[in-house]
Amino acid sequence: MATQRAYVTLYADDVSQPCRAVEWFLALNDVPFTKKFVNLARREHFDDAFVKLNPLKKVPVVVVGTGASSHVLLESHAIMRYFVNVDRAPDHYYPRAPLARHAVDAVLDWHHLGLRMHASGLLMQRYMLPMRRPDRKVNEKAAKAAESALHAALEHVDGVLGAAAAATHRHA
């Protein structure tokens, strides 16, 4: 991947999977960047300075350029697509063939609610809530329901979306 020439700043917290995905994508594709830590546990994404960057109060955020000529990129998938289009990432990241690209887009668009929602539900039930309220027991019924939903979502990825991607590659 060609090196991005504009100055790139990534605002992120490593606890966030979308932040890690963007950071790894930039690093693996030799896009030089500076990382600014936004502590989600301390709710720094609600600070006025951060809200000016992203009124949605979410990480990751990438700022490309400096001063008046800079632009702000939001949402992990959109950020990675931007760098693919600007720097022409290798085809295995985001294929140029329309049907193959559609298969990748389908998984990316589906995974936020189809997969991450269930994974975060399990994380919340098993780890986050017990850390916040150590005096309370884990709600086993809710944890099992979240685990079951995550398992079903993973089977969906392996089955339906995997088959669609395979079919797309055969026809591309």
Side-chain angles (χ1 to χ4, degrees), residues 1 4 6 8 25 62 64 71 73 76-88:
M1 187 170 191
Q4 174 68 23
V8 175
F25 182 84
V62 168
V64 178
H71 46 280
L73 308 176
S76 59
H77 296 160
I79 292 167
M80 290 185 283
R81 286 178 182 129
Y82 169 85
F83 284 103
V84 164
N85 290 323
V86 168
D87 283 344
R88 295 310 237 174

Side-chain angles (χ1 to χ4, degrees), residues 69-141:
S69 65
S70 67
H71 46 280
V72 177
L73 308 176
L74 308 175
E75 295 297 323
S76 59
H77 296 160
I79 292 167
M80 290 185 283
R81 286 178 182 129
Y82 169 85
F83 284 103
V84 164
N85 290 323
V86 168
D87 283 344
R88 295 310 237 174
D91 225 37
H92 63 268
Y93 285 111
Y94 198 60
R96 288 177 186 81
L99 286 175
R101 184 171 275 199
H102 170 266
V104 172
D105 285 337
V107 172
L108 291 175
D109 292 347
W110 173 83
H111 110 278
H112 275 301
L113 290 177
L115 187 60
R116 286 195 66 235
M117 177 176 71
H118 304 303
S120 64
L122 181 59
L123 177 71
M124 186 64 80
Q125 292 300 323
R126 288 273 182 221
Y127 302 103
M128 301 302 287
L129 291 176
M131 283 186 344
R132 289 184 183 164
R133 298 288 310 267
D135 57 316
R136 297 178 95 179
K137 287 186 175 183
V138 170
N139 180 338
E140 286 299 328
K141 184 178 178 181

